[in-house]
Structure formats: structure tokens, C-alpha cells
Amino acid sequence: MTTQTVLAAATGEDVNPLIPETYDIVWSVVCIAIIGVIFYKYVIPRLMKVLDERADKIEGGLQRAEAAQEEAQLTLQQYQQQLAEARLEAARIREEARTQGQQILAQMRADAQAESDRIVAAGHSQLEAQRQQILTELRAEVGQTAVDLAEKIIGQSVSDEAKQAASIERFLSELDQSNAGIGVGR
């Protein structure tokens, strides 16, 4: 028991046990003041330093995040620009390929037409050559047949070749003139 409780018990006063003694209050105030000074001098500055560092980190993190976001935005714009350029390039290449394809088709058509014309011309010239050859062979055969007939009709040999050739030519000329008048022949 404390001295005050002993004195109060001796004098017969009621003492409240919840109220501390005066010296306890004084020493508690002194301890709290010392602890407050220590906190004010050492703990609070360190706490403020840590809080400032944390605030700087947060602000720096926000600034870095904003910078990263701006960089991402620039990268996105560059990507979109490159994509647009690539699309334009692809459209240009497609158009160029389409133009080249049309030029190739036109060239192939022109080449095919030229080849067709050449083949037709070669065919016509070949037909004309064959016609001339057939006419020459036919004249020789008709001439020979005419000489044979003349020999049979006359009963003697027409052996003179010059006379024979002249007769054949005269006969064929007359035949050509009569065919030309009728519209037969070429």
C-alpha cells in the first residue's frame, strides 16, 4: 500500500484508488516530455524523411507511368502510321500488278493476233503455191492428153516438140479465155 492510502486509512478518509499520487503524475509528465522530445528530435524527422521518400517514389512512379503512357501513345501512333503506309504500299503494288497484268494480256493478245495473221498468211501463200503447182501439172497433163488425142484423130505422130508446145499453149490459152468468159476458174 502506498503512504497516502495508509494516511487516509489512519485519518479515516475515503481515498479514490483510481486517482494516482502526485509524484506519479509528475514523473509520468516528465517521462512523457522526454519521450516527446526524443520523438520530436529523432523519430518524427526520420518518419517524415521516409514519408517524403515514399511521396517522391509515388510521384516519380506517376511521372514514369505518364512518360511510359506517352511513349506507348507515340509508339501506337507510329505503328498506326506504318500500318497506313503499308496499306498504301500494298494498294499501290496491287494496282501496279493489275496494270502489268493488263499490259501482259494486251501484249499476249497482240502476239497471238500477229501469230494468227502470220499463220493465215503462210497458209494462203502455201495454198497459192499448191494451186500454181496443180495448175502447172494440170496444164502439162491436159497438153499431153490433147497431143495424144490429136495424134489419134490425125492418125500420125506429132513429134515436133516446138509445134507440140505451141499447140498446147494455144489450146490452153483458148481454154483459159473460154473459162474466164464463163466465170469458172479463179
Side-chain angles (χ1 to χ4, degrees), residues 117-160:
D117 292 345
R118 186 190 64 78
I119 290 171
V120 167
H124 284 305
S125 64
Q126 188 177 12
L127 283 175
E128 187 61 31
Q130 286 177 351
R131 183 177 174 275
Q132 289 299 330
Q133 181 183 3
I134 290 171
L135 278 176
T136 305
E137 289 175 2
L138 187 59
R139 279 179 179 236
E141 285 182 27
V142 167
Q144 187 60 43
T145 306
V147 168
D148 290 343
L149 283 175
E151 285 180 352
K152 285 183 182 178
I153 291 174
I154 297 175
Q156 66 183 59
S157 163
V158 184
S159 60
D160 187 11

Side-chain angles (χ1 to χ4, degrees), residues 26-178:
V26 171
W27 282 111
S28 296
V29 169
V30 170
C31 287
I32 288 176
I34 292 172
I35 291 172
V37 169
I38 291 172
F39 261 85
Y40 184 74
K41 196 96 163 141
Y42 299 107
V43 175
I44 291 178
R46 286 189 183 185
L47 182 62
M48 293 306 288
K49 183 180 176 185
V50 168
L51 289 176
D52 288 341
E53 287 175 1
R54 182 174 279 172
D56 287 343
K57 284 183 180 179
I58 290 171
E59 288 175 10
L62 288 174
Q63 289 174 351
R64 284 190 303 272
E66 288 174 0
Q69 187 174 7
E70 288 175 10
E71 185 178 334
Q73 199 68 353
L74 283 173
T75 305
L76 178 63
Q77 288 175 352
Q78 289 174 350
Y79 169 73
Q80 289 174 342
Q81 183 180 5
Q82 289 174 351
L83 184 62
E85 289 173 0
R87 286 181 179 155
L88 287 174
E89 181 69 15
R92 185 188 63 76
I93 289 171
R94 277 193 307 267
E95 187 61 34
E96 195 173 288
R98 187 175 297 124
T99 303
Q100 286 178 353
Q102 290 172 350
Q103 289 173 349
I104 289 170
L105 281 175
Q107 181 64 35
M108 289 175 71
R109 284 183 184 139
D111 291 347
Q113 186 63 39
E115 183 67 16
S116 172
D117 292 345
R118 186 190 64 78
I119 290 171
V120 167
H124 284 305
S125 64
Q126 188 177 12
L127 283 175
E128 187 61 31
Q130 286 177 351
R131 183 177 174 275
Q132 289 299 330
Q133 181 183 3
I134 290 171
L135 278 176
T136 305
E137 289 175 2
L138 187 59
R139 279 179 179 236
E141 285 182 27
V142 167
Q144 187 60 43
T145 306
V147 168
D148 290 343
L149 283 175
E151 285 180 352
K152 285 183 182 178
I153 291 174
I154 297 175
Q156 66 183 59
S157 163
V158 184
S159 60
D160 187 11
E161 285 189 26
K163 286 181 184 178
Q164 193 178 22
S167 298
I168 291 172
E169 281 301 316
R170 191 181 67 227
F171 174 74
L172 289 176
S173 303
E174 290 173 6
L175 186 63
D176 279 341
Q177 287 175 358
S178 66

